[in-house]
Amino acid sequence: MLTVQHLSVFYGDVQALWEVTFEVRQGELVTLVGSNGAGKTTTLRTISGVVAPASGTITFDGHDITRRPPHEIVALGVGHIPEGRRLWPRMTVLEHLELGAYAATARPQLRETLGWVFSLFPRLAERTHQLAGTLSGGEQQMLAIGRALMGRPKLLMLDEPSLGLAPLLVADLFRAIREINGQGVTVLLVEQNVHQVLEIAHRAYVLETGRIVKEGPARDLLTDPAIKEAYLGL
């Protein structure tokens, strides 16, 4: 579904990604793991068209999206939930969700998709008219995911969804992500909670200083001595 080949990205004179190559197959849950500054967020932002690559190609569902604008990439079926959620504090839960279905391909199914999102996150159904800025951190993350799902994405990209959440909420969040994937949405997940994400992912890529240094089945990386030492504190 997604193929990234030889992707290099610069911020001014500073190179952030070096010839990054990976793929996400339809129906998979794939994770990018690595330390702060490894290039994980830059990778997602480049796929979404927010950052322009210096070289390389990005192909999604048979379309070259390397230099397409973000709104066209969304319309093709890529949903991106950025780090920090990026909600509008004075807009309601329902307004956020309706806005998520702005793409022409998503509007006809708005009510049906809204029901799906509420089934995944019943808490949102209880707070449809509540302002986003008054929600708890966990509820805000649910809303950010729900807003992206309203666009009926084929590929859902999440950037550090567990950041700042209590351990119990993190467990609930990962259960929801696995359920979304189980219902047919392909997932690319960036996450520093390495142990938990390797427990639910099918495959994983390890980014270090802008380069892919290791890849394989997530369960294999979970028991890899180098991964355990570097990321799991073992």
Side-chain angles (χ1 to χ4, degrees):
M1 177 171 282
L2 176 72
T3 303
V4 176
Q5 292 183 304
H6 309 299
L7 194 66
S8 294
V9 175
F10 288 79
Y11 292 111
D13 295 330
V14 178
Q15 188 161 359
L17 296 181
W18 304 71
E19 296 280 323
V20 167
T21 296
F22 67 94
E23 67 176 11
V24 181
R25 301 167 197 141
Q26 186 169 348
E28 282 191 312
L29 196 167
V30 172
T31 183
L32 294 175
V33 299
S35 58
N36 279 332
K40 306 183 303 295
T41 293
T42 296
T43 300
L44 296 194
R45 285 167 60 85
T46 307
I47 294 168
S48 287
V50 178
V51 173
S55 60
T57 59
I58 306 168
T59 305
F60 172 72
D61 202 23
H63 301 275
D64 184 344
I65 63 169
T66 311
R67 286 173 177 81
R68 290 206 187 194
H71 69 277
E72 290 186 8
I73 294 171
V74 170
L76 287 171
V78 178
H80 183 182
I81 302 160
E83 182 181 348
R85 299 152 198 155
R86 306 291 179 91
L87 303 176
W88 289 274
R90 299 194 61 79
M91 285 177 58
T92 67
V93 167
L94 184 59
E95 287 170 338
H96 275 88
L97 296 176
E98 290 177 335
L99 185 61
Y102 82 93
T105 52
R107 284 178 217 148
Q109 305 171 78
L110 190 151
R111 293 302 157 194
E112 177 187 343
T113 310
L114 196 61
W116 176 45
V117 169
F118 285 158
S119 72
L120 288 168
F121 302 113
R123 193 79 58 85
L124 296 182
E126 299 167 3
R127 287 160 169 71
T128 52
H129 300 295
Q130 189 168 331
L131 297 180
T134 66
L135 299 174
S136 69
E139 291 165 347
Q140 289 186 2
Q141 189 61 65
M142 293 175 198
L143 180 54
I145 295 173
R147 180 179 59 185
L149 291 176
M150 290 298 296
R152 305 295 295 198
K154 300 174 185 176
L155 172 68
L156 185 67
M157 303 194 301
L158 302 97
D159 192 354
E160 302 287 3
S162 74
L163 193 65
L165 300 185
L168 189 59
L169 291 175
V170 172
D172 289 342
L173 175 67
F174 279 115
R175 276 195 292 270
I177 293 170
R178 186 158 51 184
E179 184 177 350
I180 291 165
N181 177 241
Q183 293 186 23
V185 180
T186 304
V187 175
L188 177 58
L189 176 59
V190 161
E191 179 59 57
Q192 285 193 34
N193 198 326
V194 175
H195 188 276
Q196 283 195 270
V197 77
L198 291 179
E199 288 276 5
I200 68 169
H202 298 113
R203 293 187 304 110
Y205 293 87
V206 181
L207 265 173
E208 288 184 5
T209 58
R211 297 174 172 87
I212 299 284
V213 297
K214 194 179 287 282
E215 63 182 270
R219 290 285 179 166
D220 290 353
L221 293 187
L222 193 57
T223 58
D224 184 295
I227 299 298
K228 291 168 73 172
E229 181 178 356
Y231 301 106
L232 305 180
L234 300 173

